[in-house]
Amino acid sequence: MSVIGHDAVVQRFVRALQAGQLHHGWLLYGRQGIGKHTLALYLAQHYVCESRQACGQCHGCHMFLAGSHPDVCRCAPREGKRDLAIDQVRTVLDFLALSGSESERRVVIMDDADRMNMQAANALLKSLEEPAPGSLLLMVCHDLMRLPATIRSRCMLAPCMPLNEAQTMQVLQTTGISDAYISLAGQLADGCPGRVFCMLDDALAEALAEWQQLTCDAAVADVGAVEAWLRRHVRTVPHALMAEIVIRAHQPQLGQAQSFVRYRALDEALTALARWPGEVARHSLRAAPSFLALFLGLRQALRQAESLRNVQ
Ligand SMILES: [Zn+2]
């Protein structure tokens, strides 16, 4: 396997591994959709590879790539559950405390580590303080600060950056998103290609492209058509991408604001749109009407600015 981007983290890990100075707990953190999970897998492959370079040829690599290496264990919050549960953390700690069956090494890849609850974090802490020989814990998380400081301070922190434009396109091209939508996908990904993997679904990608056309200028948009689109698609299209499209289309106008009043009205309307996906999720708002209200707010902010300018 390979990983696109994140060279600095890979190099740091491999250097330490080859020097026999690998820290037993790594914390890979950064924005969602930049490939942290893939990176963790890639590092784990290095760890179980007989030549320590993820050669792809040795027995360790073969078992790893087949997903059947007995000394590799993965853990993530259960489907539909908010927390990484204490029993899951205990299971991986027990696994790390065993001696490996293939070698002296065992590795755990823990996704969404920032979703472990206090109990789970306390259980983990002990094992970070007294690691079993040969054990490696690779934790992946988006929100580093949600992890207790006691955990953070006992791990090797590995910040993972969003991908650059070329890397983003390279990832998107390997996913098989239709050529017709790949440029829109690249813009929306904004360095985090995982955000737009949903555009592998042609119908969804087409709906987003249509949305971009409908909402590119809120001041003159056909509100009836926007409303009809919302009725058809608001349940299937990711809200974050919907909001992102509208915000991106109007953000340049902030720079052209000719008065503070105009700037503020626009800024408030765009900020409200940026918050909308989270608000819908947190407060179970009805998505279509709440979006439409914000869109009309944006329209009004743009039109007011327009009439102000006409008066001047
Ligand atoms: Zn190998």
Side-chain angles (χ1 to χ4, degrees), residues 45 48-62:
Q45 188 187 347
V48 296
C49 170
E50 284 154 24
S51 61
R52 315 280 174 251
Q53 49 195 350
C55 70
Q57 308 297 324
C58 69
H59 186 55
C61 280
H62 278 295

Side-chain angles (χ1 to χ4, degrees), residues 13 17 20-26 43-44 46-49 52 69-73 92-108 127 130-138:
F13 183 92
L17 176 63
Q21 292 171 342
L22 193 69
H23 195 274
H24 57 276
W26 281 61
L43 299 182
H46 278 82
Y47 194 63
V48 296
C49 170
R52 315 280 174 251
H69 201 299
D71 298 331
V72 178
C73 172
V92 300
L93 294 181
D94 289 347
F95 171 84
L96 284 177
L98 296 172
S99 51
S101 24
E102 277 297 318
S103 66
E104 293 303 299
R105 304 180 165 215
R106 284 154 331 285
V107 52
V108 166
S127 131
E130 296 159 24
S135 68
L136 171 65
L137 176 61
L138 296 172

Side-chain angles (χ1 to χ4, degrees), residues 19 29-30 58 80 113 151 172 183 215 245 257:
Y29 66 97
C58 69
I151 299 270
L172 292 178
S183 145
T215 60
I245 285 177

